[in-house]
Amino acid sequence: MTAFALDAGLDPTFETDTGPALKRQPRPAVPAGCVQAVHMRYSLLVTARMRLLIIIAIFALVAGLAVMRIGYLGVVGAPKGQTTLEEALLPPRGEITDRNGTPLARTFPAYALWFNPRAMEDDGSPLVGEPVEVAARLKTIFPDLDVERTVRVLTSERGGYILRRVLPEDANRVFELGEVALELPREYDRHYPQGSLGAHILGYVMEGDNRQLVGHLGMEKVLDTQLSDPLTRAEPVALSIDLRVQGALEDELGRGMLATQAKGAAGIVIDVDTGEIMAMASLPAFDPNLSSAQHSPNIYNRATNATYELGSTFKPLTIAAAIDAGVVRDLSAQWDATPIEIAGRRLAEPKDLGQSINVAEALAYSSNTVTMRIADELGEARLRQVMIDLGMKAPPQIELGARGMPQWAQERPNGTWSRLTNMTVSYGHGIAVTPLHLASAYAAMVNGGIYRPATLRRVEPGAAPRGTRVFKASTSSRMRQLMRMISIYGTGRSANAAGYRVGGKTGSAEKARRGGYAQTALISSFAAAFPMERPRYVVVTVLDEPRGTLATSGQRTAAFTAAPIVGELIPRIGPMLGVRPDATRDVDISDLRNLIEGRQ
């Protein structure tokens, strides 16, 4: 049996039948403080875990509410008057760029200078100084300020804008004047970084309801919804134009206007395969950055809105229609070039070309009488239909609102032409169209015969419209040869830029006036394509009332005025558009060369 020794002075031992066992060590006593620490640690751990769970639950609840809110707004929309995230982060109007992404129109926050006559409420005059004195002090900050107008604003009971655009450093100087009534509200400003370049394409904006910017002309008006919608305005809108080409076109047109003392000019560069406008200009131009842009006398778009009788530039279209119809088969055949007597009128050549000439010579030397006889054989119904197919019975097809309606003279009530009208239309008289009409028609004539509407929107590769066939492909091929011959041997030689294989036709027409024509006022035009072995671009230039000057050898016809502009322009824009000069390439005119060289 085991016996326990419980003597207080001895350690307890175990005894067994085999002898004494090992001593059991007594368990040390646990201090009360340690027990409390353990319990406290456990309590803190539990509390931390509970707090973490509560935080996670709150976060999940907030996230769930946010998702529900986003879903609700996506279906119902933001409450009226509440600023959305898009409105907070995006400018109120989207950006417009050229086809390469170069900015053409942007919106920036800016200061305006506003006079508030109620700034002091009923405490007396809103101004510390006299209106004349305040206006004079503002003049020292803004040298171009109209003092008289400013005084009128400062004495008005309604108040108003003194300036719509104020730089931050000038705003600080206005603050230093100490005039409480001179307020500087933060507004948004539409800025056109290229100035007047492409102004008739872009248009301008004005302040509408709720001080929102609204497009009032050009592509600003066409794209108004897209540029203002929060869902679409974040993405810049790319136009078809190339800013480099636009700059070159306006520069050369300006030089041509200056050299000929013309009152106005228009120019277009168009892609013959897509209808994209690479550049389009109307001079004189206006600056859309100016708040008075809508009152500019130069806001009229001569390229799309003005209609002109464009003269001999219509002759290639007439010849193309005759070749297409089989009226002209043999280009070497001789046609009567003597004057024509019709309807009591005698129509003759400005310059004697002999008794007869062939079709190639008629185009190269710009024969009126031969073109009239070809149109007479073609018939008014067929020539008229070609003009309709080329879009010359309706405003030009383009996005802009400023589009001129063609004018057809002496059209009968049943919609037909007289024999005389058919003849005169063949060489560009009795029909007035815009320069854009002519550019689109020439594009169809040289691109294989397909008419496509012009566009100011960039066309993605492979997305060009199919278009409508107007001429046979074989006719288009023959016209490319004939157009090239005009630039080599005929009236278009001043546009024959070396290496660029240019083909084009001049046109000089007396300006139509009420009751007849003004013999002292001409419209000079030139329509060209390049490179003629595979045309990619058509260029049209028009000068309104050029004069014979020293620069034009005293001449005012297109060969001396409009054509040289194209001759200077194409070498500038060709490399920009991927067309480089190459003297080893050209359209094959070997089967036609003798038709011209024999006479020369």
Side-chain angles (χ1 to χ4, degrees), residues 3 38 80 88 133 182 190 192 207 217 235 302 317 328 356 442 472-473 500:
V38 170
K80 216 168 189 180
E133 178 189 348
L182 296 180
R190 193 66 165 170
Y192 301 91
E207 200 171 79
L217 189 74
E235 189 69 25
R302 299 174 185 270
L317 300 175
V328 172
S356 65
Y442 265 60
K472 299 172 185 176
Y500 287 96

Side-chain angles (χ1 to χ4, degrees), residues 52 83 136 171 180 187 212 233 281 293-294 361 372 377 451 481 545 568 589:
L52 181 60
T83 302
V180 179
E187 299 180 350
Q212 290 183 341
R233 70 185 188 215
Q294 69 269 25
E361 292 172 320
M372 292 167 65
E377 285 202 25
Y451 175 84
Q481 292 178 299
E545 296 188 25
E568 296 293 331
I589 58 172

Side-chain angles (χ1 to χ4, degrees), residues 301-594:
N301 191 340
R302 299 174 185 270
T304 65
N305 208 15
T307 58
Y308 306 101
E309 292 188 6
L310 295 174
S312 297
T313 56
F314 268 61
K315 290 174 183 175
L317 300 175
T318 301
I319 299 302
I323 293 174
D324 219 53
V327 173
V328 172
R329 296 178 182 272
D330 181 5
L331 296 182
S332 64
Q334 296 293 302
W335 289 78
D336 187 357
T338 59
I340 295 176
E341 303 280 349
I342 182 172
R345 298 173 61 182
R346 185 175 188 272
L347 304 175
E349 300 288 356
K351 181 180 179 181
D352 182 36
L353 297 176
Q355 293 296 310
S356 65
I357 56 176
N358 60 49
V359 172
E361 292 172 320
L363 281 177
Y365 306 131
S366 201
S367 169
N368 290 346
T369 57
V370 170
T371 306
M372 292 167 65
R373 288 186 168 96
I374 291 174
D376 195 34
E377 285 202 25
L378 177 64
E380 68 87 18
R382 286 189 285 193
L383 181 58
R384 184 176 179 276
Q385 188 59 49
V386 168
M387 297 301 166
I388 293 174
D389 292 343
L390 292 173
M392 295 189 181
K393 183 64 173 173
Q397 296 190 52
I398 196 169
E399 294 86 352
L400 299 179
R403 297 177 299 147
M405 183 69 183
Q407 302 171 52
W408 289 23
Q410 300 177 359
E411 190 175 21
R412 293 168 175 165
N414 62 356
T416 61
W417 287 338
S418 67
R419 185 184 177 201
L420 176 60
T421 299
N422 185 57
M423 286 184 171
T424 58
V425 167
S426 71
Y427 63 92
H429 285 71
I431 181 172
V433 299
T434 69
L436 182 56
H437 278 109
L438 186 65
S440 295
Y442 265 60
M445 184 177 67
V446 302
N447 72 1
I450 305 298
Y451 175 84
R452 293 184 179 89
T455 180
L456 281 166
R457 296 177 183 264
R458 186 179 64 185
V459 177
E460 298 299 328
R466 296 187 61 181
T468 305
R469 181 164 291 282
V470 179
F471 302 112
K472 299 172 185 176
S474 59
T475 299
S476 180
S477 177
R478 180 62 82 184
M479 292 309 302
R480 291 197 289 268
Q481 292 178 299
L482 292 171
M483 293 284 287
R484 180 70 176 126
M485 292 183 69
I486 298 172
S487 292
I488 296 175
Y489 301 108
T491 57
R493 283 176 289 184
S494 57
N496 188 23
Y500 287 96
R501 298 88 75 195
V502 180
K505 182 70 185 77
T506 54
S508 304
E510 293 175 351
K511 208 169 183 180
R513 302 288 193 197
R514 180 172 294 181
Y517 290 88
Q519 295 183 354
T520 58
L522 286 184
I523 296 295
S524 297
S525 55
F526 189 74
F530 74 101
M532 288 311 296
E533 76 277 4
R534 173 61 178 89
R536 292 182 56 189
Y537 302 99
V538 159
V539 181
V540 171
T541 55
V542 177
L543 290 174
D544 189 350
E545 296 188 25
R547 298 180 180 179
T549 64
L550 185 62
T552 64
S553 302
Q555 303 294 320
R556 56 197 179 105
T557 56
F560 297 90
T561 56
I565 296 175
V566 176
E568 296 293 331
L569 176 65
I570 289 179
R572 290 184 63 177
I573 67 175
M576 300 174 188
L577 297 172
V579 180
R580 299 189 177 278
D582 188 345
T584 65
R585 303 177 63 182
D586 209 337
V587 61
D588 183 10
I589 58 172
S590 58
D591 60 330
L592 302 178
R593 196 183 300 273
N594 65 308

Side-chain angles (χ1 to χ4, degrees), residues 111-116 138 141-142 145 149-150 153-154 160-166 170-171 174-175 177 179 181-185 187:
Y111 290 103
L113 180 55
W114 170 271
F115 172 63
N116 181 7
L138 287 173
I141 302 174
F142 309 104
L145 185 72
R149 176 187 171 278
T150 302
V153 174
L154 295 176
Y161 283 104
I162 298 174
L163 289 172
R164 296 302 300 266
R165 297 180 178 93
V166 177
D170 292 333
V174 172
F175 275 123
L177 296 180
E179 295 286 353
L182 296 180
E183 298 179 350
L184 291 154
E187 299 180 350

Side-chain angles (χ1 to χ4, degrees), residues 84-88 90-94 225-235:
T84 64
L85 182 62
E86 292 87 352
E87 291 172 341
L90 296 175
R93 193 170 182 85
T225 300
Q226 183 176 352
L227 294 172
S228 303
D229 191 337
L231 298 178
T232 56
R233 70 185 188 215
E235 189 69 25

